Coordinates of all heavy atoms in Angstrom, one line a residue:
M1 N 97.4 1.3 171.5 CA 97.3 2.7 171.9 C 98.6 3.4 172.2 O 98.8 4.6 172.0 CB 96.5 2.7 173.2 CG 95.1 3.5 173.3 SD 94.6 4.1 171.9 CE 94.3 5.7 172.3
Q2 N 99.6 2.5 172.5 CA 101.0 3.2 172.8 C 101.6 3.9 171.6 O 102.3 4.9 171.7 CB 102.0 2.1 173.3 CG 101.5 1.5 174.6 CD 101.6 2.6 175.7 OE1 102.4 3.4 175.8 NE2 100.6 2.6 176.6
E3 N 101.2 3.3 170.4 CA 101.8 3.9 169.2 C 101.2 5.2 168.9 O 101.9 6.1 168.5 CB 101.4 3.0 168.0 CG 102.3 1.7 168.0 CD 101.6 0.6 168.9 OE1 100.5 0.7 169.3 OE2 102.2 -0.6 169.1
I4 N 99.9 5.5 169.2 CA 99.3 6.7 169.0 C 99.8 7.7 170.0 O 100.0 8.8 169.6 CB 97.7 6.5 169.3 CG1 97.1 5.5 168.4 CG2 96.9 7.8 169.3 CD1 97.2 5.8 166.9
F5 N 100.0 7.3 171.3 CA 100.7 8.2 172.2 C 102.1 8.5 171.8 O 102.4 9.7 172.0 CB 100.7 7.5 173.6 CG 99.3 7.3 174.1 CD1 99.1 6.2 175.0 CD2 98.2 8.0 173.9 CE1 97.9 5.9 175.6 CE2 96.9 7.7 174.3 CZ 96.8 6.6 175.2
F6 N 102.7 7.7 171.3 CA 104.1 8.0 170.8 C 104.0 9.0 169.6 O 104.9 9.9 169.7 CB 104.9 6.7 170.3 CG 106.2 6.9 169.8 CD1 107.4 7.2 170.6 CD2 106.4 7.1 168.4 CE1 108.5 7.3 170.2 CE2 107.7 7.3 167.9 CZ 108.7 7.4 168.7
L7 N 103.2 8.8 168.7 CA 103.0 9.7 167.6 C 102.6 11.1 168.1 O 103.0 12.2 167.6 CB 102.0 9.2 166.5 CG 102.6 8.0 165.8 CD1 101.4 7.6 164.8 CD2 103.7 8.5 164.9
A8 N 101.7 11.2 169.0 CA 101.2 12.4 169.5 C 102.3 13.1 170.4 O 102.4 14.4 170.3 CB 100.0 12.3 170.5
R9 N 103.1 12.4 171.0 CA 104.2 13.1 171.9 C 105.3 13.6 170.9 O 105.9 14.6 171.3 CB 104.8 12.1 172.8 CG 105.8 12.6 173.8 CD 106.2 11.6 174.8 NE 105.2 11.3 175.7 CZ 104.5 10.2 176.1 NH1 105.0 9.1 175.4 NH2 103.6 10.1 176.9
H10 N 105.5 13.0 169.7 CA 106.5 13.4 168.8 C 106.0 14.0 167.5 O 106.6 13.9 166.5 CB 107.4 12.3 168.5 CG 108.1 11.7 169.6 ND1 107.5 11.2 170.7 CD2 109.4 11.6 169.9 CE1 108.3 10.8 171.6 NE2 109.6 11.0 171.2
I11 N 104.9 14.7 167.7 CA 104.3 15.4 166.4 C 105.2 16.2 165.6 O 105.3 16.2 164.4 CB 102.9 16.1 166.8 CG1 101.8 15.2 167.0 CG2 102.6 17.0 165.8 CD1 100.6 15.6 167.4
P12 N 106.0 17.1 166.4 CA 106.7 18.1 165.5 C 107.9 17.3 164.6 O 108.3 17.9 163.6 CB 107.5 19.0 166.4 CG 106.7 18.9 167.7 CD 106.1 17.5 167.7
F13 N 108.2 16.2 165.0 CA 109.3 15.4 164.4 C 108.8 14.8 163.2 O 109.6 14.5 162.2 CB 109.9 14.5 165.3 CG 110.7 15.1 166.4 CD1 110.1 15.1 167.7 CD2 111.9 15.8 166.3 CE1 110.8 15.6 168.8 CE2 112.5 16.2 167.3 CZ 111.9 16.3 168.6
W14 N 107.6 14.5 162.9 CA 107.0 14.0 161.7 C 106.1 15.1 161.0 O 106.0 14.8 159.8 CB 106.4 12.6 162.0 CG 105.2 12.7 162.9 CD1 105.2 12.4 164.2 CD2 103.8 13.0 162.5 NE1 103.9 12.5 164.6 CE2 102.9 12.8 163.6 CE3 103.2 13.3 161.3 CZ2 101.7 13.0 163.7 CZ3 101.8 13.5 161.3 CH2 101.1 13.4 162.4
A15 N 105.4 15.9 161.7 CA 104.4 16.7 161.0 C 105.0 17.8 160.2 O 104.6 18.2 159.1 CB 103.4 17.2 162.0
V16 N 106.1 18.5 160.8 CA 106.8 19.6 160.1 C 107.4 19.1 158.9 O 107.2 19.8 157.7 CB 107.7 20.3 161.1 CG1 108.6 21.4 160.3 CG2 106.9 20.9 162.3
P17 N 108.1 18.0 158.8 CA 108.7 17.5 157.5 C 107.5 17.2 156.5 O 107.7 17.5 155.3 CB 109.5 16.3 157.8 CG 109.9 16.5 159.2 CD 108.8 17.2 159.8
L18 N 106.5 16.6 157.0 CA 105.3 16.3 156.2 C 104.7 17.6 155.5 O 104.4 17.4 154.3 CB 104.3 15.6 157.0 CG 103.2 14.9 156.3 CD1 103.6 13.8 155.4 CD2 102.0 14.4 157.2
M19 N 104.6 18.6 156.2 CA 104.1 19.8 155.8 C 105.0 20.4 154.6 O 104.6 20.8 153.6 CB 103.9 20.9 156.8 CG 102.8 20.7 157.6 SD 102.6 22.2 158.9 CE 104.2 22.3 159.6
V20 N 106.4 20.5 154.9 CA 107.3 20.9 153.9 C 107.4 20.1 152.7 O 107.3 20.7 151.6 CB 108.7 21.0 154.6 CG1 109.7 21.5 153.7 CG2 108.6 22.0 155.8
L21 N 107.5 18.8 152.8 CA 107.6 18.0 151.7 C 106.2 18.0 150.9 O 106.2 18.1 149.7 CB 107.9 16.6 152.2 CG 109.4 16.4 152.5 CD1 109.6 15.1 153.0 CD2 110.4 16.7 151.5
G22 N 105.1 18.0 151.5 CA 103.8 18.0 150.9 C 103.6 19.2 150.2 O 103.3 19.2 148.9
G23 N 104.0 20.4 150.6 CA 103.9 21.7 150.0 C 104.9 21.7 148.8 O 104.5 22.2 147.5
E24 N 106.1 21.3 149.0 CA 107.1 21.3 148.0 C 106.6 20.4 146.7 O 106.7 20.9 145.6 CB 108.4 20.9 148.4 CG 109.6 21.0 147.4 CD 110.9 20.8 148.0 OE1 111.1 20.8 149.1 OE2 111.9 20.6 147.2
F25 N 106.3 19.2 147.0 CA 105.9 18.4 146.0 C 104.6 18.7 145.3 O 104.4 18.4 144.2 CB 105.8 16.9 146.4 CG 107.2 16.2 146.6 CD1 107.8 15.9 147.8 CD2 107.9 15.9 145.4 CE1 109.0 15.4 147.9 CE2 109.2 15.4 145.5 CZ 109.7 14.9 146.7
A26 N 103.7 19.4 146.1 CA 102.4 19.8 145.4 C 102.8 20.9 144.5 O 102.3 20.9 143.4 CB 101.7 20.5 146.5
Y27 N 103.7 21.8 144.7 CA 104.1 22.8 143.8 C 104.7 22.2 142.5 O 104.5 22.5 141.4 CB 105.2 23.8 144.5 CG 105.6 24.9 143.5 CD1 104.7 25.7 143.0 CD2 106.9 24.8 143.0 CE1 105.3 26.8 142.1 CE2 107.5 25.7 142.3 CZ 106.5 26.9 141.7 OH 107.0 27.7 140.8
L28 N 105.6 21.2 142.7 CA 106.4 20.6 141.6 C 105.3 19.8 140.8 O 105.4 19.9 139.5 CB 107.4 19.6 142.1 CG 108.7 20.2 142.8 CD1 109.6 19.0 143.3 CD2 109.4 21.0 141.7
F29 N 104.4 19.1 141.3 CA 103.4 18.3 140.6 C 102.4 19.4 139.9 O 101.8 19.1 138.7 CB 102.6 17.3 141.4 CG 103.5 16.0 141.6 CD1 103.9 15.7 142.9 CD2 104.0 15.3 140.5 CE1 104.7 14.6 143.0 CE2 104.8 14.2 140.8 CZ 105.3 13.9 142.0
W30 N 102.2 20.5 140.5 CA 101.4 21.5 139.9 C 102.0 22.1 138.6 O 101.2 22.3 137.6 CB 101.1 22.6 141.0 CG 100.2 23.8 140.4 CD1 98.9 23.8 140.2 CD2 100.7 25.0 140.2 NE1 98.5 25.1 139.7 CE2 99.6 25.8 139.7 CE3 101.9 25.8 140.2 CZ2 99.7 27.2 139.4 CZ3 102.1 27.0 140.0 CH2 100.9 27.8 139.5
L31 N 103.2 22.3 138.7 CA 103.9 22.7 137.5 C 103.9 21.7 136.3 O 103.8 22.1 135.2 CB 105.4 23.1 137.8 CG 105.7 24.2 138.6 CD1 107.1 24.4 138.8 CD2 105.1 25.5 138.0
R32 N 103.8 20.5 136.8 CA 103.7 19.3 135.7 C 102.2 19.0 135.4 O 102.1 18.0 134.5 CB 104.4 18.1 136.3 CG 105.9 18.3 136.4 CD 106.5 16.9 137.0 NE 107.9 17.1 137.2 CZ 108.7 16.4 137.7 NH1 108.2 15.2 138.2 NH2 109.9 16.5 137.9
K33 N 101.3 19.8 136.0 CA 99.9 19.5 135.6 C 99.3 18.2 136.1 O 98.5 17.6 135.3 CB 99.5 19.8 134.1 CG 100.2 21.0 133.6 CD 99.2 22.2 133.7 CE 99.6 23.5 132.9 NZ 100.1 24.6 133.7
K34 N 99.9 17.7 137.2 CA 99.3 16.4 137.8 C 98.4 16.6 138.8 O 98.8 16.8 140.0 CB 100.5 15.6 138.2 CG 101.6 15.4 137.3 CD 101.3 14.0 136.5 CE 102.7 13.8 135.7 NZ 102.4 12.8 134.7
R35 N 97.2 17.0 138.5 CA 96.2 17.6 139.5 C 95.9 16.5 140.7 O 95.9 16.9 141.8 CB 94.9 17.9 138.8 CG 95.0 19.0 137.8 CD 95.4 20.3 138.4 NE 95.6 21.2 137.2 CZ 96.3 22.4 137.4 NH1 97.0 22.5 138.5 NH2 96.4 23.1 136.4
S36 N 95.7 15.3 140.3 CA 95.4 14.4 141.5 C 96.6 14.3 142.4 O 96.3 14.0 143.7 CB 95.0 13.1 140.9 OG 96.0 12.4 140.2
T37 N 97.8 14.2 141.9 CA 98.8 14.2 142.8 C 99.1 15.4 143.7 O 99.4 15.4 144.8 CB 100.2 13.9 142.0 OG1 99.9 12.8 141.1 CG2 101.3 13.5 142.9
V38 N 98.7 16.5 143.1 CA 98.8 17.9 143.8 C 97.8 17.8 145.0 O 98.1 18.1 146.1 CB 98.4 18.9 142.9 CG1 98.3 20.3 143.6 CG2 99.6 19.2 141.8
V39 N 96.5 17.2 144.7 CA 95.6 17.2 145.8 C 96.1 16.1 146.9 O 95.9 16.6 148.1 CB 94.2 16.8 145.2 CG1 93.2 16.3 146.3 CG2 93.6 17.7 144.2
F40 N 96.6 15.1 146.5 CA 97.2 14.2 147.6 C 98.3 14.9 148.4 O 98.3 14.7 149.6 CB 97.7 13.0 146.9 CG 98.4 12.0 147.8 CD1 97.5 11.2 148.7 CD2 99.7 11.8 147.8 CE1 98.1 10.4 149.6 CE2 100.3 10.9 148.7 CZ 99.5 10.2 149.6
C41 N 99.3 15.5 147.7 CA 100.3 16.2 148.4 C 99.8 17.4 149.3 O 100.3 17.5 150.5 CB 101.4 16.7 147.4 SG 102.3 15.4 146.6
L42 N 98.7 18.1 148.9 CA 98.2 19.1 149.7 C 97.5 18.5 150.9 O 97.4 19.1 152.1 CB 97.2 20.0 148.9 CG 98.0 21.0 147.9 CD1 97.0 21.7 147.1 CD2 98.9 21.9 148.6
L43 N 96.9 17.4 150.8 CA 96.3 16.7 151.8 C 97.2 16.2 152.8 O 97.0 16.4 154.0 CB 95.4 15.4 151.3 CG 94.8 14.5 152.4 CD1 93.7 15.3 153.0 CD2 94.4 13.2 151.7
L44 N 98.4 15.7 152.5 CA 99.4 15.4 153.4 C 99.9 16.7 154.2 O 100.0 16.6 155.4 CB 100.5 14.7 152.7 CG 100.4 13.3 152.2 CD1 101.6 12.8 151.5 CD2 100.0 12.3 153.2
A45 N 100.1 17.6 153.4 CA 100.5 19.0 154.0 C 99.5 19.5 155.1 O 99.8 19.9 156.1 CB 100.8 20.1 153.0
F46 N 98.1 19.3 154.7 CA 97.2 19.7 155.6 C 97.1 18.9 157.0 O 97.0 19.3 158.0 CB 95.8 19.7 154.9 CG 94.6 20.0 155.8 CD1 94.5 21.2 156.1 CD2 93.8 19.0 156.4 CE1 93.3 21.6 157.1 CE2 92.9 19.3 157.2 CZ 92.5 20.6 157.5
I47 N 97.3 17.6 156.7 CA 97.3 16.6 157.9 C 98.5 17.1 158.8 O 98.4 17.2 160.0 CB 97.6 15.2 157.3 CG1 96.2 14.8 156.8 CG2 97.9 14.3 158.5 CD1 96.4 13.3 156.1
G48 N 99.7 17.3 158.2 CA 100.8 17.8 159.1 C 100.6 19.2 159.7 O 100.8 19.4 160.9
A49 N 99.8 20.1 159.1 CA 99.5 21.4 159.7 C 98.5 21.3 160.8 O 98.6 21.9 161.9 CB 99.0 22.3 158.5
S50 N 97.4 20.5 160.6 CA 96.4 20.3 161.5 C 97.1 19.6 162.8 O 96.7 19.9 163.9 CB 95.2 19.6 161.1 OG 95.7 18.2 160.5
S51 N 97.9 18.6 162.5 CA 98.5 17.9 163.7 C 99.5 18.9 164.6 O 99.5 18.9 165.7 CB 99.5 16.8 163.1 OG 98.6 15.8 162.5
T52 N 100.2 19.8 163.7 CA 100.9 20.8 164.5 C 100.1 21.7 165.3 O 100.4 22.0 166.3 CB 101.9 21.4 163.5 OG1 102.6 20.5 162.9 CG2 102.9 22.5 164.2
G53 N 99.0 22.1 164.6 CA 98.1 22.9 165.3 C 97.6 22.2 166.6 O 97.4 23.0 167.6
F54 N 97.1 21.0 166.6 CA 96.8 20.3 167.6 C 97.8 20.2 168.8 O 97.4 20.4 170.0 CB 96.2 18.9 167.2 CG 96.2 18.0 168.5 CD1 95.0 18.2 169.3 CD2 97.0 17.0 168.8 CE1 94.8 17.3 170.4 CE2 96.8 16.1 169.9 CZ 95.8 16.3 170.7
Y55 N 99.1 20.0 168.4 CA 100.1 19.9 169.3 C 100.3 21.2 170.0 O 100.5 21.3 171.4 CB 101.3 19.6 168.4 CG 102.5 19.4 169.4 CD1 102.8 18.1 170.0 CD2 103.6 20.4 169.6 CE1 103.9 17.8 170.8 CE2 104.7 20.1 170.2 CZ 104.9 18.9 171.0 OH 106.0 18.6 171.6
I56 N 100.2 22.4 169.3 CA 100.4 23.7 169.8 C 99.1 24.0 170.7 O 99.3 24.4 171.9 CB 100.5 24.7 168.9 CG1 101.8 24.6 168.2 CG2 100.4 26.2 169.4 CD1 102.0 25.4 167.0
W57 N 97.9 23.7 170.3 CA 96.6 23.9 171.1 C 96.7 23.2 172.4 O 96.3 23.6 173.5 CB 95.6 23.5 170.3 CG 94.2 23.5 171.1 CD1 93.5 24.7 171.4 CD2 93.4 22.5 171.6 NE1 92.3 24.4 172.1 CE2 92.3 23.0 172.1 CE3 93.7 21.0 171.6 CZ2 91.5 22.2 172.8 CZ3 92.9 20.2 172.1 CH2 91.9 20.8 172.9
A58 N 97.2 21.9 172.4 CA 97.2 21.0 173.6 C 98.1 21.4 174.5 O 98.1 21.3 175.7 CB 97.4 19.5 173.1
G59 N 99.2 21.9 174.2 CA 100.2 22.5 174.9 C 101.6 21.7 175.1 O 102.2 21.8 176.2
G60 N 101.9 20.8 174.1 CA 103.1 20.2 174.2 C 103.0 18.6 174.2 O 102.0 18.1 174.2
P61 N 104.1 18.0 174.4 CA 104.1 16.5 174.4 C 103.3 15.8 175.4 O 102.5 14.9 175.0 CB 105.6 16.2 174.5 CG 106.3 17.4 175.1 CD 105.4 18.5 174.7
E62 N 103.4 16.2 176.7 CA 102.8 15.5 177.7 C 101.2 15.8 177.7 O 100.4 14.9 177.9 CB 103.2 15.8 179.0 CG 104.8 15.3 179.2 CD 104.9 13.9 178.8 OE1 104.1 13.0 179.3 OE2 105.8 13.4 178.2
R63 N 100.9 17.1 177.4 CA 99.5 17.4 177.5 C 98.8 16.9 176.3 O 97.6 16.6 176.2 CB 99.4 19.0 177.6 CG 99.8 19.5 178.8 CD 99.6 21.0 178.9 NE 100.0 21.4 180.3 CZ 100.0 22.7 180.6 NH1 99.7 23.6 179.6 NH2 100.4 23.1 181.7
S64 N 99.5 16.7 175.0 CA 98.8 16.3 173.8 C 98.5 14.8 174.1 O 97.3 14.4 173.8 CB 99.7 16.4 172.7 OG 100.9 15.6 172.8
V65 N 99.2 14.0 174.8 CA 98.9 12.7 175.2 C 97.7 12.5 176.1 O 96.8 11.8 176.0 CB 100.1 11.8 175.8 CG1 99.8 10.5 176.4 CG2 101.0 11.7 174.7
K66 N 97.7 13.6 177.1 CA 96.5 13.6 178.1 C 95.3 13.9 177.3 O 94.2 13.4 177.7 CB 96.9 14.6 179.3 CG 97.9 14.1 180.2 CD 98.1 15.2 181.3 CE 99.2 14.8 182.2 NZ 99.7 15.8 183.2
V67 N 95.2 14.8 176.4 CA 94.0 15.2 175.6 C 93.5 14.0 174.9 O 92.4 13.7 174.9 CB 94.4 16.4 174.7 CG1 93.2 16.5 173.8 CG2 94.6 17.7 175.5
I68 N 94.6 13.2 174.2 CA 94.0 12.0 173.4 C 93.5 11.0 174.5 O 92.5 10.3 174.2 CB 95.2 11.5 172.8 CG1 95.5 12.4 171.6 CG2 94.9 10.1 172.2 CD1 96.6 12.1 170.6
K69 N 94.2 10.8 175.5 CA 93.6 9.9 176.6 C 92.2 10.2 177.0 O 91.3 9.3 177.2 CB 94.5 9.8 177.9 CG 95.7 8.9 177.5 CD 96.6 8.9 178.9 CE 98.0 8.1 178.6 NZ 98.7 7.9 179.9
R70 N 92.1 11.5 177.5 CA 90.8 12.0 178.0 C 89.7 11.8 176.8 O 88.6 11.4 177.1 CB 90.8 13.4 178.3 CG 89.6 13.9 178.9 CD 89.8 15.4 179.6 NE 91.1 15.9 179.7 CZ 91.6 16.9 179.0 NH1 90.9 17.6 178.2 NH2 92.7 17.4 179.4
W71 N 90.0 12.1 175.5 CA 89.1 12.0 174.4 C 88.8 10.6 174.4 O 87.6 10.2 174.1 CB 89.7 12.7 173.2 CG 88.8 12.5 172.0 CD1 87.6 13.2 171.8 CD2 88.8 11.4 171.1 NE1 87.2 12.8 170.6 CE2 87.8 11.6 170.1 CE3 89.6 10.3 170.8 CZ2 87.5 10.9 169.1 CZ3 89.4 9.6 169.7 CH2 88.3 10.0 168.7
H72 N 89.8 9.6 174.3 CA 89.5 8.2 174.2 C 88.6 7.6 175.3 O 87.7 6.8 175.1 CB 90.8 7.4 174.1 CG 90.6 6.0 173.8 ND1 90.6 5.2 174.9 CD2 90.5 5.3 172.7 CE1 90.4 3.9 174.4 NE2 90.3 4.1 173.0
R73 N 89.0 8.1 176.6 CA 88.0 7.7 177.7 C 86.7 8.1 177.7 O 85.8 7.3 177.9 CB 88.8 8.1 178.9 CG 88.1 7.7 180.3 CD 88.7 8.3 181.5 NE 88.4 9.6 181.6 CZ 89.4 10.5 181.7 NH1 90.5 10.2 181.8 NH2 89.0 11.9 181.7
D74 N 86.4 9.4 177.2 CA 85.1 9.9 177.2 C 84.3 9.4 176.1 O 83.1 9.3 176.1 CB 85.1 11.5 176.9 CG 85.8 12.1 178.1 OD1 85.8 11.5 179.3 OD2 86.1 13.3 178.2
H75 N 84.9 9.0 175.0 CA 84.1 8.5 173.8 C 84.0 7.1 173.7 O 83.2 6.6 172.9 CB 84.6 9.2 172.5 CG 84.4 10.7 172.4 ND1 85.1 11.5 173.0 CD2 83.3 11.2 172.0 CE1 84.7 12.8 172.8 NE2 83.5 12.6 172.1
F76 N 84.8 6.3 174.0 CA 84.9 4.9 173.8 C 84.8 4.0 175.1 O 85.1 2.7 175.1 CB 86.2 4.4 173.1 CG 86.2 5.1 171.8 CD1 87.3 6.2 171.5 CD2 85.5 4.6 170.8 CE1 87.3 6.7 170.2 CE2 85.5 5.2 169.5 CZ 86.4 6.3 169.3
T77 N 84.4 4.6 176.2 CA 84.2 3.7 177.5 C 83.0 4.0 178.2 O 82.3 4.9 177.8 CB 85.4 3.9 178.5 OG1 85.5 5.2 178.9 CG2 86.8 3.4 178.0

């Protein structure tokens, strides 16, 4: 669980580059007519965007971990 908490606490450091690179490579592969690769890159960009949205909604690094702890406690115990 510590790895998940670490990832949640540091979402901007991995999600923002994931969005940028996913969007950029989706565009490049779209120009080359590689549709399945475009979908994969857009999926990665969507994961980064939704993670960043969660981080903002939760209220930052410490609160995002608290939200995940609360969700885990409510659903798995």
Side-chain angles (χ1 to χ4, degrees):
M1 241 6 236
Q2 293 300 319
E3 294 84 7
I4 302 297
F5 297 152
F6 179 81
L7 287 175
R9 188 173 285 122
H10 295 62
I11 284 176
F13 296 106
W14 62 265
V16 173
L18 189 68
M19 283 189 305
V20 172
L21 291 173
E24 184 175 345
F25 280 110
Y27 176 69
L28 290 174
F29 286 119
W30 177 70
L31 290 176
R32 294 180 183 173
K33 310 276 192 244
K34 308 262 186 195
R35 299 292 180 206
S36 61
T37 310
V38 170
V39 171
F40 177 70
C41 290
L42 287 176
L43 176 69
L44 290 177
F46 177 74
I47 290 170
S50 60
S51 297
T52 303
F54 166 75
Y55 185 83
I56 292 169
W57 172 80
E62 298 303 319
R63 289 186 181 168
S64 64
V65 171
K66 287 180 183 178
V67 167
I68 291 174
K69 281 182 181 179
R70 188 175 341 118
W71 180 78
H72 184 267
R73 184 185 65 233
D74 292 345
H75 288 87
F76 296 108
T77 58

